[in-house]
Amino acid sequence: MAGGELAGDKKTAADLGAWGIFEDECGQGLRPPKGRTWGRRGRTPVVRVTAANSPRLSVAALLATQPAYRPRLIHRTHRGRRGSRRTGCTEADYAALLDAAHQQLGGPIVLVWRQLNTHVSAAVAEIVTARPWLTVYRLPPYAHELNPVEPVRAHQKRSLANLTKHTIAELTVLLKTRLRRMQYRPPLLAGFLASTGLGFEPFL
């Protein structure tokens, strides 16, 4: 399943009842995703949107699983810094997210994520090394179907179809509301995990 590993000397973390978590990040602007909708016959529904170069919001999501526990969805939103060419999460953002997940889940973590530039940076390697409860594996390139956070993103996108947002603040509220609804639907999260076709036996 993994294309690589960080901090391989910490495999004993998995022997302590670790949570397996998958991570992915996506961006969303004020222009809404297109979706099917109802309309009067002969009149195409029109959704007025803001300019294409509107600011964007990044959402980093973690989907956590452990046998005998309900799946957990943990997320954080991140707005691109003004004047910065970087719109996604930084190494410090990921460190804060993983620390929050560790606190909420209350156990060691085996993290599986993509091979993004940020994920394979020296700063992230230092973050992993400094956390004895964290073991990291990387998915093979072009293996998005193995990441259950992908259907989380697709579900989120469908829920925002044709909804007009005028400000980043409005978009942030909508995204958090949609993700919170998913958090309270463990069968839906279990379905996202099952869609990968992977087996989720104890992480031993």
Side-chain angles (χ1 to χ4, degrees):
M1 177 175 66
E5 181 183 352
L6 293 177
D9 58 330
K10 297 190 299 185
K11 292 181 180 179
T12 53
D15 298 327
L16 302 177
W19 285 82
I21 66 174
F22 291 81
E23 189 276 344
D24 206 358
E25 178 186 348
C26 66
Q28 176 64 53
L30 298 181
R31 184 181 292 273
K34 295 180 181 179
R36 294 180 178 273
T37 185
W38 295 96
R40 297 183 63 180
R41 179 176 296 178
R43 295 188 181 182
T44 302
V46 176
V47 178
R48 300 188 182 279
V49 298
T50 57
N53 60 349
S54 63
R56 294 181 66 80
L57 188 73
S58 293
V59 181
L62 302 173
L63 187 53
T65 179
Q66 186 182 158
Y69 289 87
R70 62 181 178 84
R72 302 280 293 277
L73 177 64
I74 301 169
H75 59 85
R76 292 291 185 275
T77 58
H78 167 79
R79 182 175 178 177
R81 294 172 177 83
R82 182 172 296 180
S84 174
R85 303 174 73 180
R86 187 173 188 174
T87 59
C89 293
T90 65
E91 287 87 349
D93 295 324
Y94 285 125
L97 175 60
L98 292 170
D99 287 341
H102 179 236
Q103 184 175 12
Q104 290 186 42
L105 298 174
I109 286 174
V110 176
L111 170 65
V112 181
W113 60 5
R114 295 187 293 158
Q115 301 188 50
L116 297 179
N117 290 339
T118 309
H119 295 172
V120 299
S121 69
V124 164
E126 293 178 2
I127 288 170
V128 174
T129 301
R131 289 159 174 77
W133 45 264
L134 177 62
T135 303
V136 175
Y137 291 92
R138 304 188 194 109
L139 287 167
Y142 311 107
H144 62 275
E145 72 279 359
L146 299 180
N147 193 337
V149 184
E150 287 283 342
V152 172
R153 291 172 50 186
H155 189 85
Q156 167 196 304
K157 183 176 180 179
R158 287 194 299 271
S159 73
L160 296 175
N162 302 328
L163 293 178
T164 302
K165 289 82 63 179
H166 299 286
T167 66
I168 284 293
E170 290 182 13
L171 175 61
T172 301
V173 171
L174 275 172
L175 280 171
K176 288 184 175 180
T177 300
R178 298 301 191 270
L179 290 166
R180 194 174 298 116
R181 289 177 181 173
M182 282 190 264
Q183 286 178 316
Y184 290 101
R185 298 178 62 187
L188 178 65
L189 301 180
F192 295 151
L193 289 162
S195 69
T196 64
L198 299 174
F200 295 101
E201 293 79 15
F203 291 86
L204 300 176

